[in-house]
Amino acid sequence: MKTFYIKTHGCKANQLESHIIKEKLLNAGYIECSNNANADIYILNSCSVTETADIEALRTLRNIKHKNPTTTTVLTGCSAQLNSQKIEELNFIDIILGNNDKFKIVEALKTRKSNVEDIFELNEFNNQLIHTYSKTRGYLKIQDGCNNYCSYCTIPLARGKSRSNSIENILQQIKIYTDSGIKEVVLTGIHIGQWGEDLSEPKDLLTLIEAIENTDIKRYRLGSLNPLEISDKILNFLSESNKFCPHFHLSLQSLCSKTLKNMNRHYSAQTCLELIDKIDDMFCMPFIGSDIIAGFPDENDSDFETTYQNAKKSKLSSVHVFPYSIRKNTRAALMDNQIPDKIKHERADILHKLANEKLNNFITRNIGTKSSILVEKNPDKKTGMLKGVTPNYLTIYLNTNDKNLCNTIQNIEISSKDSSGKLFGTIY
């Protein structure tokens, strides 16, 4: 039988979908290859959040085809969905599959035909159950698509309109996970705060959370959320939960109100700061991460300084920073006062330094505290030590190699940090 290798770029949803592709191929008799050089089939599940991501996807497949011309190369994911007409004539890509077509991978390999359907024709969530999962935490896609149309973003064009998975399907997947020994699920999607809006009987995210709370899963996390979608009702419910992991990722994009308006984000910087303070007050040592774009069109020095100072004084634990990337077919690409690349990267570097400071400060605050960790299924490859993740998203190394602890939840005290930033804990 033929061998395959899957490379994944981008978000958690893409990573989960790559696992679905893998499961379908294994069930069809294909053999997964650990080395891409030896694979008969090379599949790239691509990202298109920036122009760099598109370039990297093509570079990767070109290199693979150059090294082994007999390899069948498959491009799927967001870059394939958005750029199919432009790339269909490239001689180093054999098969192109859109975001919904990727799940028909077995048929595509048999026919060697590309397929990129109109993503906006899709009105229902494409539910794909996972039955075998090797990771410690089970990712669970509850939603696809996005209705926001932020001025900089092509994701709605690549993923289509928001489509929600049903509560029944979600609970079925959780049961499959728990029956297989998985103790934590991470709810993911493209815009999970829009979950339920399109169902025949519209529901809100809190309804789903309440249903998950009553399952046998030991812990659960939420993926990225728009600040306006985190209501007081949700926060009050989560703050009283024994299963929810206090790990928030806020899709902020800026902390300057003028820039947020230009981005078509319907909230102010002050709203974000108040939400961050509220989360910090309601939860014990919550991890609060965020995204911030540097060098958005018409962001002058004063606007950037506003974002920087607001981020600095905020109680954010971490900031994922990236320079603005012009994307075709977006309003931001046509805006006046585009920022030169040099200034974009200078501003991103300044925010990166602040992000590192905030993360180091958060880590230091946790030393000496008591918590729990879900120990990974396998020891760390580099150190041989067991490690796990706390509810508030810190990786902790244990001074033991007792494999009986793998995939268990242990109470620990976070004891120290080494020069490389690794945190160590002791079971009590």
Side-chain angles (χ1 to χ4, degrees), residues 275-287:
L275 175 62
I276 293 167
D277 283 343
K278 186 181 294 184
I279 292 172
D280 189 69
D281 289 340
M282 293 181 68
F283 297 84
C284 179
M285 289 284 194
F287 184 98

Side-chain angles (χ1 to χ4, degrees), residues 253-255 291-295 299 304-312 318-323 344-358:
Q253 310 308 339
S254 176
L255 280 171
D291 297 311
I292 292 182
I293 299 172
E299 180 191 70
F304 174 72
E305 183 66 16
T306 296
T307 285
Y308 176 83
Q309 292 299 335
N310 280 336
K312 184 176 182 179
S318 175
V319 183
H320 177 216
V321 182
F322 48 99
K344 289 181 195 175
H345 289 283
E346 286 174 352
R347 291 176 181 173
D349 288 342
I350 292 170
L351 287 173
H352 276 303
K353 291 178 182 177
L354 176 63
N356 289 334
E357 290 174 9
K358 295 190 81 67

Side-chain angles (χ1 to χ4, degrees), residues 114-127:
S114 298
N115 191 33
V116 182
E117 61 187 52
D118 184 349
I119 202 74
F120 287 100
E121 292 294 320
L122 300 178
N123 296 310
E124 296 183 358
F125 182 87
N126 188 343
N127 184 49

